[in-house]
Amino acid sequence: MAPHDLRRTCARLCHEAGGELEQIQFLLGHGSVQTTERYIGCRQNLREAVNDRFRISPSNNAAH
């Protein structure tokens, strides 16, 4: 086992515990989130983005 293995394990555990990729990216010091995705073996789900679940309609955002 090498120090790099421990670093990768920490990143995967953070991700499995619900950590956001951007936070893990910052923790690891990666320049791009794509590097972090490859590092921990996951990809962002852009087809079902979490913000699509908000169910905000234009009538809720009308200016007063």
Side-chain angles (χ1 to χ4, degrees):
M1 185 175 299
H4 200 77
D5 296 325
L6 296 174
R7 177 178 154 94
R8 183 178 290 111
T9 299
C10 176
R12 286 184 179 165
L13 289 173
C14 288
H15 180 67
E16 289 173 8
E20 296 180 18
L21 282 174
E22 290 80 7
Q23 292 175 333
I24 300 169
Q25 173 192 357
F26 181 76
L27 172 71
L28 298 175
H30 289 158
S32 75
V33 74
Q34 288 82 14
T35 302
T36 306
E37 289 175 334
R38 286 192 309 271
Y39 196 84
I40 62 177
C42 77
R43 295 186 147 239
Q44 292 186 42
N45 186 352
L46 299 177
R47 291 178 194 243
E48 295 181 31
V50 68
N51 59 319
D52 289 344
R53 299 179 196 156
F54 291 150
R55 307 261 189 243
I56 298 174
S57 66
S59 62
N60 291 345
N61 296 327
H64 292 73

